[in-house]
Amino acid sequence: MIRMLAVAVAWIGQHGTAALAVSIFIGMALPALSEHLRPYLGVSVFSLLVLAFLRVDIEAIKLRLKRPTLLLTALVWMMLGVPLIAFAAVQLIGPETLGPQLVLALFISTAAPPVMAAPAFIYLLGLNGTLSLALSVAALIITPLSAPFIGELMLGDALPLSIGGLAAQLSFLLVGSFLTAMVVRKIAGQERITNGANMISGLNVILLLIFAIAAMDGVAASFADKLTFTLGLTAITFCLAFAQIGVTLLLFSPASREDAYAIAHTCGTRNMGLMVAAFGGTLPELTWLWFAVGQFPIYILPMVLKPFVGWFCGLKLKSVTPQT
């Protein structure tokens, strides 16, 4: 029975990009489970980071840190450049015109660090996720400093953010998940981890499904009651994700194509769930709907962009099975 379960999980990992796209629709189709699974958002985020640390090549990370220019440049662009551009756009349009709920939505969409699964997405596309992991971890570390700064610019006194709470949460996620991954690595051994790459990818997809169900509270009802509005809001979240990926890809095109795409995709997949948790799990109705439908591009883009990545990075003859 256990062996059959392991084979099933590994099969999910082999078909990761398609499974991710399907999982977000499953989440929307099961609204009754959302309320029950919402408290487990933090657990799923923690677990995803454990799996990311578990599969990373530590020596490759060290090599990245020995040549930190690209990593630091990408970090500054992602955590300061992009949200400052969003702030400029808010000022150009007018905060009063957009309204505080929409400004808050733009804030969590641009000031948040990358999703914990960003390296997993890169692996699922057949690329090396080491740069994405290093960038994600670095972004997590500076979020307690960068997010309140951007939030103060965008929202002023209306920012519902606790700096101390966010810093404590990030510390728990980073240190706790890293230590957990090191214990598992020590017990399992590197050979088992390498041979179980598809199973790890499958576990990533399952955890992302749990997150999707928890995040989809109210989305099905919104599509039923306000179809045009909800479709429009979903389209805007796709446009924002594509804009972040496209502009970042152009800016970092002087780097290798694989590195440029890893940075771009990581920049375009923001961990809005972490920001929601920092706000105590509650958001205004419009902001929550933005957060929920904003999961669609995160989950669907790996499948949509896979042919482009294969062409752009020269992977046409390579397997898209995640590599360690």
Side-chain angles (χ1 to χ4, degrees), residues 148-204:
F149 166 69
I150 299 299
E152 178 68 22
L153 284 177
M154 282 192 178
L155 293 155
D157 295 336
L159 175 66
L161 184 68
S162 167
I163 299 175
L166 181 57
Q169 183 184 37
L170 290 172
S171 298
F172 169 76
L173 286 169
L174 272 173
V175 178
S177 59
F178 177 78
L179 292 178
T180 302
M182 292 304 100
V183 171
V184 173
R185 185 185 292 272
K186 185 71 174 179
I187 295 174
Q190 184 58 47
E191 184 177 353
R192 285 186 180 179
I193 293 173
T194 301
N195 294 336
N198 285 331
M199 181 175 293
I200 293 175
S201 294
L203 289 173
N204 267 290

Side-chain angles (χ1 to χ4, degrees), residues 88-243:
V90 168
Q91 295 303 305
L92 182 64
I93 299 172
E96 299 81 7
T97 302
L98 294 173
Q101 293 193 39
L102 192 54
V103 174
L104 179 59
L106 289 172
F107 165 66
I108 66 174
S109 301
T110 57
V115 293
M116 303 302 179
F121 292 142
I122 303 302
Y123 282 117
L124 285 171
L125 289 167
L127 305 177
N128 190 304
T130 304
L131 177 58
S132 177
L133 178 62
L135 189 55
S136 299
V137 171
L140 275 171
I141 293 172
I142 71 165
T143 297
L145 298 175
S146 62
F149 166 69
I150 299 299
E152 178 68 22
L153 284 177
M154 282 192 178
L155 293 155
D157 295 336
L159 175 66
L161 184 68
S162 167
I163 299 175
L166 181 57
Q169 183 184 37
L170 290 172
S171 298
F172 169 76
L173 286 169
L174 272 173
V175 178
S177 59
F178 177 78
L179 292 178
T180 302
M182 292 304 100
V183 171
V184 173
R185 185 185 292 272
K186 185 71 174 179
I187 295 174
Q190 184 58 47
E191 184 177 353
R192 285 186 180 179
I193 293 173
T194 301
N195 294 336
N198 285 331
M199 181 175 293
I200 293 175
S201 294
L203 289 173
N204 267 290
V205 174
I206 292 171
L207 287 168
L208 287 167
L209 172 59
I210 294 173
F211 178 88
I213 295 173
M216 288 296 106
D217 186 31
V219 174
S222 183
F223 272 106
D225 299 336
K226 300 177 289 185
L227 178 60
T228 302
F229 174 80
T230 308
L231 285 175
L233 196 66
T234 304
I236 292 173
T237 64
F238 269 96
C239 290
L240 182 59
F242 276 119

Side-chain angles (χ1 to χ4, degrees), residues 305-317:
L305 293 175
K306 186 167 67 173
F308 169 77
V309 174
W311 167 80
F312 184 75
C313 298
L315 300 177
K316 289 184 177 180
L317 301 179

